[in-house]
Amino acid sequence: MVVNNELNIARNKAGQVVLDALAPTNRLKNMVGAGSKGSDLNISQIMSCCGQQNVEGKRIPFGFNRRTLPHFVKDDYGPESRGFVENSYVSGLTPSEFYFHAMGGREGVIDTAVKTADTGYISRRLMKALEDVMVKYDGTVRTSREILVQFLYGEDGMAGEHFEKISLDLVTLSNDDLSKKCDFLYGSDTSEGLRKIEKALGASTRRILADESIRASFIAEFE
């Protein structure tokens, strides 16, 4: 792990030299900077140094008798024999570097395939389990057998797909300003605060808040 960290630092430093040397008009640098595709690591590997190759989170293991490939002497723990690729894609890899790089790349392909299958299957099971859950006309969330899941969709009645980013300068506001801007209940009569909440959340919530038990728990939650 220590050797891996040191070799990664060497790769990053070599990559930084290339990044600093690239002109601001360089197309690849612009593409990465804009967030369209790629990363600084990709630029580093193309033009500077591919770096250490890993299999199962470790440097290339000994696959033959006390060595990684027949090209190396036995018990060679140096960077080159354990999978450090000092060349870039532009300069071209040596045969042994190419072989190690293919080992690391194969693991990446397999990981991607496995993770895609796992997440797809989990998503399918979730959708199958929740296919009878729906938001009813009174604002509650229930199953097809009318089992109550939530009194209010998402606990706040707001649809996540319609949210927009709203900046709220909490740090710069004084306590009084914050209270005026955000507080429904403090500093005002509870019934007045509830009226503000009801107005904000709409008619479906008024029907829910009419239930005394829900109303009491709602007030307790705010306080």
Side-chain angles (χ1 to χ4, degrees), residues 166-175 177-179 181-182:
I166 301 170
S167 59
L168 190 63
D169 301 321
L170 297 177
V171 178
T172 58
L173 294 174
S174 67
N175 287 341
D177 292 336
L178 186 61
S179 180
K181 192 177 184 71
C182 305

Side-chain angles (χ1 to χ4, degrees), residues 38-50:
S39 65
D40 289 344
L41 175 61
N42 297 138
I43 297 178
S44 171
Q45 290 183 325
I46 291 169
M47 304 179 68
S48 173
C49 167
C50 282

